[in-house]
Amino acid sequence: MVKVDVKDLSIWFGAIAALKNVSLQVKANEILSIIGPSNSGKTTFLRMLNRLNDLNPNFRIEGEVVFDGSDIRKQDIEVLRKNIGMVFALPLPLPLSILDNVAYGVRMHGMKNKKQIAQKVEDSLKQSYLWEEVKDRLDESAFKLSGGQQQRLCIARTLAVEPQVILFDEPCSGLDPISTAKVEDAMVELKEKYTLILVTNNVKQAARVGDRTAFFLNGELVELDNTDKIFTAPKDKRTDGYIRGKFG
């Protein structure tokens, strides 16, 4: 089942072309890893999926991005961002308690029953591999958590509103190896219920968690294939060169 269908997508910021005629499909319940050097269009592609690029006044788009049966530009933007959540490179907890961070979104969407909210918080923290570490301190400030815990809290906050797709923009770039492993473990578990798209500069991370991997270069999609094929027998010499560290 195709979850997101991207057709002939080109994006400009002013006169600068960030993406050029990109076409790909994202399957349901997969982790699609996206790799490539800086300024290859990875984050632009990710932010396009829940229309964060719209915030740039110089943004212009051609092509089509179909989610849930219709072009994302025709969908209500608040509903779209509920269905396609995003976890950023740096954790951005709200200046609230751990509990209220996770509950924030569900309350905004109208949930008022305290027992239901408490259950939603617990379920989301369990899915993000954080519950056991914070279950006795839910009323503490989220800022008391470590960087890795804050990132998993942000994942829990995204999960609480029950998205269909979760976008990860270099979610482990500032984390230590132990925290990175916990985030990766959570991602592998999450694909049972969600579709995940991971932008990462860490090719080893892409190889560890991705079901398929896409290689972007200079705004173009060079290659997309099963992750084991990308990392053992890529079809394009540019993909091979990047994976081997010859550039990037």
Side-chain angles (χ1 to χ4, degrees), residues 186-238:
M187 292 177 67
V188 172
E189 290 289 329
L190 290 172
K191 76 173 183 178
E192 296 297 321
K193 295 180 63 176
Y194 308 94
T195 299
L196 282 65
I197 305 174
L198 166 68
V199 162
T200 178
N201 286 326
N202 185 335
V203 293
K204 292 183 179 178
Q205 181 175 66
R208 285 192 297 266
V209 304
D211 296 300
R212 293 190 301 151
T213 296
F215 173 55
F216 280 57
L217 182 65
N218 296 326
E220 298 180 357
L221 173 61
V222 173
E223 190 167 352
L224 170 61
D225 209 333
N226 292 335
T227 294
D228 58 347
K229 292 183 179 180
I230 288 286
F231 283 91
T232 59
K235 297 175 182 177
D236 194 293
K237 63 181 181 180
R238 293 170 293 176

Side-chain angles (χ1 to χ4, degrees), residues 18-60:
L19 288 175
K20 308 166 189 174
N21 297 313
V22 172
S23 295
L24 64 82
Q25 293 180 330
V26 184
K27 301 175 184 178
N29 302 104
E30 76 166 341
I31 300 176
L32 175 66
S33 296
I34 300 177
I35 60 173
S38 298
N39 300 314
S40 59
K42 306 187 303 296
T43 295
T44 295
F45 178 83
L46 206 67
R47 292 171 63 90
M48 170 273 307
L49 293 172
N50 69 351
R51 292 177 54 187
L52 285 175
N53 290 325
D54 292 17
L55 299 173
N56 188 318
N58 297 315
F59 166 70
R60 182 164 61 90

Side-chain angles (χ1 to χ4, degrees), residues 7-23:
K7 304 174 183 178
D8 301 318
L9 177 71
S10 295
I11 288 176
W12 294 264
F13 295 101
I16 300 172
L19 288 175
K20 308 166 189 174
N21 297 313
V22 172
S23 295

Side-chain angles (χ1 to χ4, degrees), residues 65-77:
V65 182
V66 175
F67 167 73
D68 205 21
S70 66
D71 192 303
I72 61 170
R73 286 172 291 176
K74 298 177 182 178
Q75 299 185 28
D76 179 90
I77 197 164

